[in-house]
Amino acid sequence: MPFFNSYFGSFSDWINTRRKRWIARHGHKLSLSFWRSLDRKGWLRVLTKGALSVLLLLFVFYLAVYFGVFGWLPTKRQLKAVQNNMPSEVYTADSVLIGRYFIQDRTNVAYDKIAEPAIKALIATEDVRFYEHDGVDYRSLARVLIKSLLLQEESSGGGSTLSQQLAKNLFPRKSLGYLSMPVNKLREAILARRFEAIYTKEEILGLYLNTVPMGGNVYGIESAARRFFNTSADSLKTEEAAVLIGLLKGTTYYHPKLYPERSLQRRNVVLAQMAKYGYLTPAQKDSLQKRPLKLRYNPYSHHSGLAAYFREHLRQELGQWAARQKDKEGDPYNLYTDGLKIYTTIDSRMQRHAELALRQRMKSLQVEFDKHWSKKAPWTGQPDILKAAKERSLRYRRHKAAGLSEEEITEIFNTPRKMQVFRWRGEVTRTISPMDSLRHYLRYLNAGFVAMEPNSGYVRAWVGGISHNYFQYDHVRSRRQVGSTFKPLVYATAIEKGIAPCSYFSNDRRVFPEYENWSPRNADEQYGGSYSMLGALTHSVNTVSVNVALQAGLPSVIQTAHSLGITGELPTTPSLALGTADASLLEMVAAYAALANGGYQIKPRYLLRITDRQGNVLFDQTNPNGQGQHVLSSQTTALLRPMLENVVNEGTGRRLRSDFRLTMDIAGKTGTTQSHADGWFIGFTPDLVAGSWVGGEDRRIRFRDLEQGGGANTALPIWGAFFQRLGQDRAFRRYSYSQFAPLPPHLRSYLNCPPYQGPIVEAPMVEEEDRGIDEFFKRSGRKLKDLFKRKDKRDKDREKEREKERDREKDWQKELEKELEKRRDKGNGRGRWRRED
């Protein structure tokens, strides 16, 4: 402490000493008499010293800004590599831009891709001496100094050149208190000179028009042209270019969508400037100024455009991928600012057909659903459905997280407010409460559709719902009960286990005491007799499917399902055969792809390549690594395919032939879950496998009868309409007549059996009238003799049929063993493929 007092005491004394010396030497200059005594030379000397001091101060200030005392200043080398934030873009396999991920909506274009009227309008309005100065226009600065600062004329304009404005766009101004304006202006002037030294005038114009804000989150001439006129920067008309350049004076005040009258007036001012500086003739100016403001407003939203559900799924996946990748500086990539180019397998034409097919069917199905329930709510008698929907909503979860009580949340949900409401006839604005909004949306059925190539796994179309803006849950990835679409996996397992396709299974109803007396029922309530696999699959017989699954072994069925890509937990109960397990539409379509491609496991692929903004490849899967593991024998899939074809030709999928007139070869299966909560159809042609699903957001929102709620009525028409549209498109007309390869002759016999065998009924003896005892015994003897003959013949026929079945079984076993030997030779055999006696 003594040292502290001693040190600062000495310092204070030193300051006082210096102050006294200065006053002794210069104090007289502070008096009025000193200034009165100055002559001309004295005044000249004082003014010279003052000017030199100011110049020295300005020079020091310039050096301070130049060397970054007030903030970092990029060098010429860094300006050469300047990169503004760019959105990442998503492209389809046919090179169509379908989506962009951005914070700022910007697309860079080269100078020669900008319409000439836009360049001329920009120079005439913002910087008429652009080609004459070297980054700073001193005449403009003088004008601003005299007119704006001294004469207070607000209409005199600014003094910044386009080069200075470019610097401001790329390196935003900083707040430095009273020094903010001089520091920022000097920084921009320095940067403008540097820009002029390293870029040509055309390159500066291109940079400027790519970075300039155009209102909201729109940046650059290309994005603005697309937003306001639904065109590209190189296709802008003169009057359109004038609107966009006029927008620069005030992006909100002159916004053409919000304030069309102001925008029109500003456009005409820009046209007048163009005429003033010789870019338009007076006649051209007058003609253009008379034209009305015509916008083709195209508001981009992440909810709009093609494949919105797919783009959102991809965004989440790519966000995780980008965070793991490092750029040259060692920083992770940013999906929203680094301008990545993302190339996918989606075909824009197929995607459009899929969306239109789904929309067409769901619009009409909703009408049927509303008529079905009439004035009743689909949750009538089940108030917990509405309560569950409320608690699932984002609004409820946000209020709950904020600590609001149930009473407060209920009041908010019952308070009317203006909101946009989805309807199939078109969006409307209504004043309704959030609770009424929940009731409105609970009534809607939703849907999902996906199509992919069975050999490559390329996903060509992905539709996750009816409107991404209002229903953002993706039903391509959501998990629902799969119903009878699971049955082909059961039959595939049985064939793999060595059970011949012509084996017959009882159609008698059966009770399972070990599973709480569960008893499978057929949809048509018909029982008795027996079905071959072909007949049972064609008519989707539940009792037989359960018997097939039990004979094949439930663990084996589960193993088959998992090997085909079903990832969820599957119950080890007989009901599994009827599709009580949950799976996603994408998983089921991938499983059917293996049935279509000869038994090879296939993984859906939708991302091909990613490049950075310079075109450097960061991710590449354009060359497939070949098919996956061979999980089903080619014989199994070859035999299963005609069984599934029969479903379409004669069974539950026959509407594809009768209603949609599809003539190509089709194999597929409908599916309907318990109480008609979910409707499915998954099918494949030689070139494409596709699946559709229909159901309510809540599983309890459904039709009340099978005829309307079954997959054949809800989901199948989406599939049919999609392929119908493909057939009408010249680019995909080949799908209309594609055919499967014929079934090999040695396999045809394994399906050559009646699909159904009825129960054996003994012929009753016919009662005779009493015509005398002798005649009675005589005739009765003949009847009995004939009856025993017929019975004996039936027994022989039945034995012959059994013998044929045993022969077919033996032949099937031989074929199975041959296939197994081939696969073992290739190293692809599986232990579970052996038959378990």
Side-chain angles (χ1 to χ4, degrees):
M1 196 69 177
F3 171 79
F4 182 85
N5 292 332
S6 172
Y7 177 82
F8 281 96
S10 300
F11 181 74
S12 176
D13 293 342
W14 181 84
I15 289 292
N16 288 329
T17 302
R18 300 296 297 177
R19 181 173 59 82
K20 290 176 180 179
R21 288 181 182 178
W22 188 91
I23 292 175
R25 183 178 301 177
H26 304 286
H28 65 284
K29 295 179 182 180
L30 300 178
S31 64
L32 187 60
S33 59
F34 170 79
W35 295 103
R36 286 177 177 175
S37 64
L38 287 176
D39 55 10
R40 183 180 297 179
K41 289 184 179 181
W43 276 106
L44 183 60
R45 188 167 54 250
V46 169
L47 291 175
T48 301
K49 288 182 178 181
L52 290 174
S53 299
V54 171
L55 289 175
L56 179 62
L57 183 63
L58 291 175
F59 180 69
V60 172
F61 178 68
Y62 173 82
L63 291 177
V65 174
Y66 187 90
F67 288 107
V69 173
F70 297 101
W72 167 78
L73 209 62
T75 64
K76 289 182 180 180
R77 182 179 178 181
Q78 290 169 327
L79 291 179
K80 282 184 180 181
V82 66
Q83 291 183 342
N84 52 312
N85 289 347
M86 285 179 59
S88 295
E89 298 179 334
V90 182
Y91 291 89
T92 62
D94 52 332
S95 303
V96 174
L97 174 65
I98 59 169
R100 309 166 80 237
Y101 306 123
F102 57 83
I103 297 173
Q104 298 176 344
D105 184 5
R106 174 188 284 120
T107 299
N108 286 353
V109 291
Y111 173 82
D112 58 2
K113 295 295 184 181
I114 301 174
E116 188 177 359
I119 301 293
K120 292 177 178 178
L122 177 66
I123 292 173
T125 308
E126 297 293 326
D127 193 353
V128 294
R129 283 182 292 280
F130 175 72
Y131 291 106
E132 301 171 13
H133 61 68
D134 60 353
V136 180
D137 188 350
Y138 299 102
R139 285 179 57 184
S140 295
L141 286 176
R143 184 194 70 232
V144 172
L145 180 64
I146 296 171
K147 291 188 175 182
S148 296
L149 298 181
L150 299 180
L151 301 180
Q152 298 294 305
E153 292 183 10
E154 296 181 1
S155 61
S156 64
S160 295
T161 64
L162 289 175
S163 301
Q164 289 172 280
Q165 293 181 46
L166 173 62
K168 182 176 69 173
N169 292 340
L170 291 176
F171 307 100
R173 292 176 171 178
K174 298 181 178 180
S175 177
L176 299 168
Y178 293 111
L179 293 176
S180 294
M181 182 58 70
V183 169
N184 286 320
K185 282 290 186 181
L186 186 54
R187 288 179 75 250
E188 290 161 11
I190 295 171
L191 291 176
R193 295 290 299 273
R194 291 181 183 177
F195 275 123
E196 295 275 348
I198 61 177
Y199 289 111
T200 65
K201 290 289 187 179
E202 288 74 19
E203 288 172 335
I204 290 175
L205 286 171
L207 276 172
Y208 177 83
L209 285 173
N210 279 322
T211 59
V212 65
M214 290 285 194
N217 65 346
V218 178
Y219 290 78
I221 191 77
E222 176 71 15
S223 294
R226 185 170 54 246
R227 175 68 60 90
F228 295 109
F229 298 106
N230 197 24
T231 189
S232 57
D234 60 353
S235 301
L236 284 169
K237 300 176 182 177
T238 302
E239 65 272 22
E240 294 172 344
V243 170
L244 298 184
I245 299 303
L247 188 61
L248 303 180
K249 186 175 179 63
T251 56
T252 300
Y253 190 82
Y254 294 109
H255 195 286
K257 178 66 175 177
L258 302 177
Y259 306 105
E261 292 183 0
R262 296 177 191 170
S263 179
L264 181 63
Q265 293 172 359
R266 180 61 185 165
R267 180 203 71 176
N268 290 341
V269 170
V270 173
L271 292 172
Q273 287 291 103
M274 294 178 71
K276 178 180 177 180
Y277 294 105
Y279 294 121
L280 293 176
T281 65
Q284 289 174 323
K285 180 203 73 170
D286 293 339
S287 174
L288 292 172
Q289 285 182 336
K290 291 177 182 178
R291 295 183 183 180
L293 180 65
K294 289 185 178 180
L295 296 180
R296 294 185 297 278
Y297 194 64
N298 182 33
Y300 180 83
S301 165
H302 293 301
H303 303 303
S304 62
L306 276 180
Y309 290 90
F310 170 73
R311 286 187 278 114
E312 175 58 20
H313 167 72
L314 196 62
R315 182 189 68 81
Q316 297 176 20
E317 190 172 297
L318 288 174
Q320 298 173 5
W321 172 86
R324 297 191 299 266
Q325 308 302 312
K326 305 294 182 181
D327 59 19
K328 293 179 181 178
E329 285 72 35
D331 298 322
Y333 282 97
N334 189 316
L335 181 64
Y336 307 98
T337 61
D338 283 344
L340 304 178
K341 297 288 189 293
I342 301 149
Y343 300 92
T344 70
T345 64
I346 297 293
D347 187 294
S348 67
R349 299 159 298 178
M350 282 193 184
Q351 179 70 29
R352 189 171 289 106
H353 289 314
E355 291 184 7
L356 290 173
L358 184 142
R359 182 177 180 85
Q360 170 190 331
R361 176 53 187 157
M362 295 308 296
K363 186 175 181 180
S364 61
L365 186 65
Q366 190 64 45
V367 173
E368 296 176 21
F369 189 69
D370 292 340
K371 287 182 179 178
H372 175 77
W373 284 97
S374 187
K375 295 181 179 180
K376 281 187 176 181
W379 56 87
T380 298
Q382 302 180 83
D384 55 320
I385 294 179
L386 199 59
K387 181 176 181 291
K390 173 185 175 183
E391 293 175 353
R392 282 196 308 268
S393 69
L394 181 61
R395 188 192 306 271
Y396 179 89
R397 286 184 278 121
R398 282 177 176 171
H399 291 320
K400 198 70 176 175
L404 273 67
S405 66
E406 284 295 330
E407 292 75 17
E408 291 172 319
I409 296 176
T410 299
E411 183 179 354
I412 291 172
F413 267 80
N414 290 328
T415 303
R417 62 192 64 198
K418 187 176 290 187
M419 61 180 73
Q420 288 288 112
V421 177
F422 171 82
R423 296 189 312 171
W424 278 115
R425 289 175 291 174
E427 296 178 352
V428 293
T429 301
R430 292 280 187 267
T431 301
I432 58 175
S433 68
M435 205 64 204
D436 288 333
S437 175
L438 281 178
R439 293 186 183 95
H440 173 76
Y441 290 119
L442 263 180
R443 289 178 172 271
Y444 280 87
L445 294 176
N446 222 303
F449 180 88
V450 66
M452 63 184 282
E453 294 177 352
N455 292 306
S456 64
Y458 285 177
V459 175
R460 296 304 191 186
W462 178 311
V463 190
I466 59 177
S467 171
H468 192 261
N469 196 27
Y470 295 94
F471 304 90
Q472 294 176 17
Y473 195 59
D474 189 347
H475 293 288
V476 169
R477 299 302 302 267
S478 65
R479 307 185 69 82
R480 300 286 289 239
Q481 278 193 353
V482 295
S484 294
T485 58
F486 191 81
K487 289 177 181 176
L489 278 61
V490 173
Y491 287 84
T493 305
I495 297 173
E496 284 280 275
K497 298 291 288 183
I499 301 173
C502 273
S503 300
Y504 284 87
F505 295 85
S506 170
N507 183 37
D508 292 329
R509 191 169 180 188
R510 180 179 174 185
V511 176
F512 293 86
E514 63 274 31
Y515 296 105
E516 299 179 354
N517 290 325
W518 178 74
S519 178
R521 299 171 57 183
N522 292 331
D524 58 5
E525 292 291 350
Q526 299 297 312
Y527 305 96
S530 57
Y531 281 91
S532 67
M533 289 192 195
L534 175 67
L537 191 57
T538 298
H539 301 288
S540 199
V541 183
N542 289 340
T543 53
V544 173
S545 298
V546 171
N547 290 333
V548 172
L550 291 174
Q551 187 164 337
L554 292 177
S556 297
V557 173
I558 292 172
Q559 186 178 355
T560 297
H562 283 158
S563 68
L564 293 176
I566 310 299
T567 59
E569 184 178 351
L570 302 177
T572 313
T573 60
S575 63
L576 173 66
L578 308 185
T580 54
D582 285 359
S584 72
L585 180 58
L586 190 63
E587 287 178 345
M588 291 303 297
V589 168
Y592 273 62
L595 304 182
N597 67 21
Y600 289 93
Q601 184 187 61
I602 203 74
K603 184 177 181 180
R605 297 176 59 201
Y606 40 81
L607 183 59
L608 287 178
R609 193 171 74 259
I610 303 174
T611 65
D612 62 17
R613 67 174 76 193
Q614 284 82 29
N616 300 314
V617 177
L618 307 176
F619 174 88
D620 191 359
Q621 274 193 339
T622 51
N623 295 320
N625 298 321
Q627 293 172 315
Q629 184 184 5
H630 201 182
V631 294
L632 292 175
S633 71
S634 57
Q635 285 191 161
T636 296
T637 56
L639 286 166
L640 195 61
R641 192 199 68 220
M643 295 163 66
L644 291 172
E645 284 186 85
N646 218 45
V647 173
V648 173
N649 297 332
E650 300 179 16
T652 55
R654 58 187 177 274
R655 286 186 64 185
L656 293 176
R657 304 297 190 197
S658 60
D659 292 5
F660 295 94
R661 306 295 180 186
L662 298 179
T663 58
M664 76 284 279
D665 284 352
I666 304 171
K669 186 70 185 75
T670 57
T672 308
T673 60
Q674 188 175 7
S675 301
H676 331 112
D678 305 271
W680 295 75
F681 182 79
I682 305 175
F684 55 90
T685 68
D687 307 297
L688 210 60
V689 57
S692 53
W693 166 89
V694 172
E697 178 185 347
D698 190 298
R699 301 187 191 211
R700 294 167 290 182
I701 303 296
R702 56 184 182 249
F703 283 101
R704 290 168 290 182
D705 60 73
L706 180 62
E707 183 179 356
Q708 290 181 288
N713 183 60
T714 59
L716 179 143
I718 299 174
W719 199 100
F722 170 72
F723 278 89
Q724 191 177 58
R725 296 184 67 89
L726 287 188
Q728 295 166 354
D729 188 329
R730 183 175 299 177
F732 304 108
R733 196 159 291 169
R734 67 185 184 279
Y735 288 106
S736 297
Y737 48 81
S738 59
Q739 294 183 326
F740 293 120
L743 189 66
H746 71 282
L747 294 181
R748 292 175 191 165
S749 62
Y750 298 127
L751 295 174
N752 187 21
C753 53
Y756 175 73
Q757 290 183 346
I760 299 173
V761 179
E762 299 290 343
M765 293 181 61
V766 180
E767 294 184 3
E768 296 287 341
E769 295 180 5
D770 186 8
R771 297 180 181 176
I773 191 67
D774 293 335
E775 183 66 21
F776 171 77
F777 281 113
K778 183 179 180 181
R779 297 180 62 156
S780 295
R782 284 199 306 267
K783 294 282 186 181
L784 286 170
K785 187 177 180 181
D786 292 341
L787 179 63
F788 282 117
K789 283 182 179 180
R790 286 197 299 271
K791 184 177 184 302
D792 186 55
K793 186 176 184 301
R794 283 198 305 271
D795 290 342
K796 289 181 179 179
D797 291 343
R798 191 178 304 156
E799 184 60 33
K800 287 180 180 179
E801 186 61 38
R802 289 198 188 103
E803 189 64 33
K804 288 180 181 178
E805 187 174 327
R806 283 193 291 270
D807 290 340
R808 283 194 294 265
E809 184 83 19
K810 291 176 182 178
D811 292 341
W812 172 244
Q813 289 297 324
K814 291 178 182 178
E815 293 293 338
L816 199 62
E817 290 300 325
K818 289 179 182 178
E819 177 72 16
L820 181 58
E821 287 299 326
K822 290 179 183 178
R823 292 173 62 191
R824 282 173 178 164
D825 292 341
K826 295 179 181 178
N828 289 326
R830 296 179 301 146
R832 76 173 186 86
W833 206 75
R834 299 188 184 90
R835 182 180 179 183
E836 297 175 4
D837 294 328

